[in-house]
């Protein structure tokens, strides 16, 4: 039976495995992907983390940050130095991502990351995860979710647009910032 529940520490290994499994090809050390896009959320803001389970096997997750200052501090002090030791390029990329997301954090405060095991994608489960996170953040008084996507051809771009995300910024690299107004939708 499929259900969405709050993240528990016992889910950590499974969630990290999904993060690595769904990473773009080309990452030599897939654990770096977790350092870039997951571990901060699980360690510092796990109250905003949910898992999708099928018969108690984790098949997806969604995590969010609502504390922009803590996110920036932790990334600068802990995660980016760790990433840089593995890959100078990814360390620089992570620093750029932090700089790009800072104005979004200040305005929209609700950056998130979501992944579903490939076998379970395209079944409407991403919408269910977003609905749970949207309702959760709404209870805490937050108004927005946001993410940055590589470009319009990125795997999830169409999904997010269909869900109701709006483009708010296009970067020189072709990357796009998308936001979702929790209060309006």
């Amino acid at each position: 039976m499929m259900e969405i529940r709050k993240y528990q520490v016992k889910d950590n290994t499974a969630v990290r495995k999904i993060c690595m499994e769904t990473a773009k090809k080309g990452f030599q050390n897939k654990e770096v992907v977790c350092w870039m896009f997951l571990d901060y959320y699980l360690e510092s803001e796990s109250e905003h983390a949910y898992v999708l389970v099928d018969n108690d096997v984790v098949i997806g997750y969604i995590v969010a940050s609502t504390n922009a200052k803590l996110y920036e501090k932790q990334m600068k002090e802990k995660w980016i130095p760790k990433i840089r030791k593995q890959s100078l390029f990814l360390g620089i990329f992570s620093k750029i991502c932090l700089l790009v997301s800072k104005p979004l954090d200040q305005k929209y405060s609700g950056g998130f990351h979501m992944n579903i095991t490939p076998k379970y994608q395209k079944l409407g489960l991403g919408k269910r995860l977003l609905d749970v996170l949207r309702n959760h953040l709404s209870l805490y008084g937050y108004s927005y979710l946001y993410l940055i996507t590589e470009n319009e051809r990125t795997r999830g771009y169409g999904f997010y647009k269909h869900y109701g995300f709006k483009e708010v910024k296009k970067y020189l690299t072709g990357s796009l910032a998308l936001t979702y107004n929790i209060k309006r939708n």
Side-chain angles (χ1 to χ4, degrees):
M1 181 174 114
M2 276 194 229
E3 68 174 326
I4 296 172
R5 63 169 168 73
K6 293 287 270 175
Y7 166 82
Q8 300 167 12
V9 174
K10 72 176 184 168
D11 302 321
N12 188 277
T13 301
V15 169
R16 292 181 97 252
K17 181 179 177 197
I18 293 167
C19 186
M20 289 186 257
E21 177 182 77
T22 56
K24 278 183 105 174
K25 293 180 182 2
F27 281 96
Q28 300 301 320
N29 179 349
K30 299 257 181 164
E31 189 169 14
V32 173
V33 176
C34 294
W35 300 340
M36 292 170 67
F37 302 114
L38 180 63
D39 290 343
Y40 161 80
Y41 302 98
L42 297 181
E43 286 189 14
S44 299
E45 293 194 64
S46 63
E47 68 274 16
H48 306 305
Y50 289 86
V51 292
L52 173 64
V53 295
D54 186 8
N55 293 315
D56 210 34
V57 174
V58 178
I59 60 169
Y61 67 87
I62 192 164
V63 293
S65 171
T66 59
N67 187 334
K69 288 180 180 168
L70 180 62
Y71 177 80
E72 181 179 9
K73 181 179 188 303
Q74 289 283 320
M75 289 304 288
K76 281 181 179 177
E77 293 176 3
K78 181 176 183 178
W79 299 109
I80 291 175
K82 195 171 182 175
I83 294 163
R84 196 176 13 231
K85 284 182 183 174
Q86 289 294 314
S87 166
L88 179 61
F89 171 76
L90 292 176
I92 292 168
F93 175 75
S94 295
K95 181 76 172 170
I96 291 168
C97 288
L98 189 60
L99 292 171
V100 165
S101 67
K102 187 173 182 169
L104 294 169
D105 276 331
Q106 291 169 346
K107 186 170 183 180
Y108 300 108
S109 190
F112 74 99
H113 184 71
M114 173 174 68
N115 268 320
I116 298 172
T117 301
K119 168 179 158 179
Y120 289 90
Q121 292 176 1
K122 301 188 192 268
L123 299 175
L125 301 172
K127 180 189 179 312
R128 287 179 55 195
L129 279 168
L130 271 170
D131 288 347
V132 166
L133 182 64
R134 180 193 70 210
N135 293 337
H136 167 79
L137 293 178
S138 179
L139 291 173
Y140 285 86
Y142 292 98
S143 301
Y144 289 94
L145 290 170
Y146 84 84
L147 68 109
I148 298 173
T149 186
E150 194 174 345
N151 57 48
E152 291 98 344
R153 295 180 307 280
T154 303
R155 210 173 7 170
Y157 177 81
F159 164 76
Y160 291 116
K161 290 292 286 182
H162 182 74
Y163 190 83
F165 280 77
K166 307 283 187 236
E167 290 178 25
V168 292
K169 183 158 179 82
K170 187 167 190 165
Y171 301 96
L172 294 174
T173 61
S175 295
L176 303 162
L178 304 174
T179 64
Y180 181 84
N181 187 326
I182 293 170
K183 302 283 187 200
R184 276 199 203 141
N185 295 302

